[in-house]
Amino acid sequence: MPMQNDILKVLVTKEELEEICERLGKQISQDYKGKKVILVSVLRGAVVFFADLMRHIDCDCEIDFMAVSSYHGGTKSSGVVTFKKDLDIDIKGQHVLIVEDILDSGLTLHYLIDVLKMREPASMKVCTLLDKPANRRAKISADYVGTVIPDEFVVGYGLDYAERYRNLPYVGVLKKAVYEK
């Protein structure tokens, strides 16, 4: 059965995703003009957005990756953050932009920011493709937001359920029957 059959509806189209990356890339380029920024992708979900976004950023930048998780195979954040991969670049005195796929409960990102602030970056901002404020449990917001979405479980464009659906070229709402089995 094709993965598309598990999708209730498309929430953000491929074309809308391209527009978001272009818009955010231009804004980030303008904000960091004349500065070097370290773009930090939060693996694995943000990798597709990260790749498309950075192609629209026209300023001096380096890239690095971190892997943290609080979902542990479920559809809601567990609140328990697991740190799986750390940065390779020393961020002390550097401008850092964390690139996330989705800002949901905010617990994972809040934890990540606390960890990175201890490393004394010159500045730290957050860019998220999707902002889902309905479930926010931590006092946190993104500096750059692709789009705000309703409280629905989404997959595609890097986002997954049980490591599936990441390769869909859009963001779609997963049918409840798929994850309520």
Side-chain angles (χ1 to χ4, degrees):
M1 176 163 85
M3 289 185 301
Q4 289 83 355
N5 292 345
D6 294 342
I7 304 302
L8 179 66
K9 65 182 175 185
V10 174
L11 201 58
V12 188
T13 67
K14 180 179 179 181
E15 294 75 21
E16 289 169 324
L17 290 165
E18 290 170 7
E19 289 170 9
I20 287 169
C21 290
E22 185 175 346
R23 172 177 52 85
L24 292 176
K26 283 181 182 177
Q27 186 179 356
I28 291 164
S29 297
Q30 184 178 16
D31 292 352
Y32 288 97
K33 187 175 185 173
K35 300 175 186 171
K36 183 181 93 175
V37 62
I38 297 174
L39 304 173
V40 176
S41 175
V42 181
L43 297 173
R44 297 183 189 135
V47 73
V48 178
F49 172 52
F50 185 76
D52 287 347
L53 175 67
M54 71 180 187
R55 284 189 278 260
H56 291 283
I57 295 175
D58 186 24
C59 63
D60 189 12
C61 63
E62 286 185 59
I63 65 169
D64 207 343
F65 302 89
M66 293 188 87
V68 295
S69 176
S70 67
Y71 281 77
H72 308 293
T75 60
K76 299 276 186 196
S77 175
S78 66
V80 177
V81 179
T82 304
F83 204 93
K84 298 179 177 184
K85 186 213 174 293
D86 201 350
L87 294 174
D88 295 321
I89 297 173
D90 179 8
I91 63 168
K92 185 173 184 171
Q94 303 288 329
H95 298 288
V96 176
L97 179 62
I98 300 169
V99 180
E100 263 282 30
D101 53 356
I102 186 167
L103 177 51
D104 193 352
S105 73
L107 296 173
T108 303
L109 190 57
H110 189 271
Y111 171 79
L112 184 59
I113 288 170
D114 284 349
V115 168
L116 294 180
K117 278 185 178 176
M118 290 188 281
R119 300 176 189 182
E120 303 175 17
S123 69
M124 189 170 0
K125 291 186 177 182
V126 174
C127 175
T128 188
L129 172 62
L130 305 172
D131 187 5
K132 189 191 321 183
N135 289 336
R136 197 70 32 87
R137 292 169 45 198
K139 278 192 159 188
I140 191 165
S141 61
D143 301 279
Y144 305 96
V145 175
T147 189
V148 177
I149 63 167
D151 187 16
E152 298 186 274
F153 189 72
V154 293
V155 296
Y157 199 66
L159 294 114
D160 76 301
Y161 171 67
E163 296 302 323
R164 294 184 63 220
Y165 310 101
R166 291 188 193 275
N167 57 321
L168 293 174
Y170 54 81
V171 175
V173 176
L174 191 61
K175 290 178 182 175
K176 285 186 179 184
V178 174
Y179 58 88
E180 288 183 346
K181 291 178 183 176

